[in-house]
């Protein structure tokens, strides 16, 4: 009998430098990993994950951007951050060096979730 894969506690892991040479995570595997990160969604071609936030106001949005920037610097893995309408923040994660998702994206997503709450 085949056992179900277990979910990873991504926030306990650390990002590793990636300059390429790492296999992309498939869309199916990403979908499985996102069960542990329910606030994130996979794009149609399976190469990015994103989280959309309504921060309430501009100051909170900018403060959250700074918190995410601090996390990204600590992990050396950087998301795309889009602030629109003064309070709507979209965080997009992908591993640019491989043109798709790696474990780093799920690690940073989990850590971002800890500062967003």
């Amino acid at each position: 009998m085949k056992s179900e894969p277990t979910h990873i506690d991504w926030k306990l892991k650390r990002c590793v430098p990636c300059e390429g040479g790492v296999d992309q995570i498939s869309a199916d595997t990403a979908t499985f990993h996102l069960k542990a990160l329910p606030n994130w969604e996979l794009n149609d071609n399976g190469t990015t994950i994103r989280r959309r936030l309504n921060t309430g106001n501009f100051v909170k949005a900018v403060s959250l951007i700074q918190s995410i920037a601090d996390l990204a610097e600590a992990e050396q893995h950087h998301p795309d951050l889009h602030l629109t309408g003064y309070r709507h923040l979209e965080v997009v994660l992908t591993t640019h060096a491989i043109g798709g998702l790696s474990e780093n994206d799920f690690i940073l997503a989990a850590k971002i979730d800890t500062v967003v709450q």
Side-chain angles (χ1 to χ4, degrees):
M1 182 192 258
K2 190 175 182 181
S3 65
E4 284 290 316
T6 58
H7 291 288
I8 298 168
D9 190 349
W10 294 107
K11 66 185 172 298
L12 298 178
K13 297 186 79 161
R14 301 263 323 160
C15 291
V16 295
C18 178
E19 298 300 325
V22 175
D23 290 335
Q24 290 182 20
I25 290 177
S26 71
D28 287 342
T29 300
T31 298
F32 174 77
H33 289 327
L34 287 177
K35 291 178 183 175
L37 299 166
N39 295 311
W40 294 81
E41 60 186 46
L42 187 64
N43 73 337
D44 290 339
N45 62 4
T47 58
T48 68
I49 57 173
R50 73 173 172 210
R51 181 166 180 186
R52 293 179 178 156
L53 301 151
N54 180 340
T55 62
N57 65 56
F58 182 76
V59 172
K60 287 180 185 175
V62 172
S63 177
L64 185 54
I65 288 170
Q66 185 60 58
S67 295
I68 292 169
D70 292 342
L71 274 174
E73 277 298 298
E75 292 294 330
Q76 287 300 296
H77 190 66
H78 303 95
D80 294 335
L81 301 171
H82 307 275
L83 178 59
T84 58
Y86 77 87
R87 64 180 176 188
H88 302 287
L89 179 61
E90 181 179 47
V91 182
V92 180
L93 288 163
T94 191
T95 302
H96 298 283
I98 62 171
L101 294 167
S102 72
E103 284 194 359
N104 287 347
D105 301 302
F106 297 93
I107 293 166
L108 192 57
K111 291 182 180 197
I112 289 169
D113 281 351
T114 66
V115 299
V116 167
Q117 301 176 17

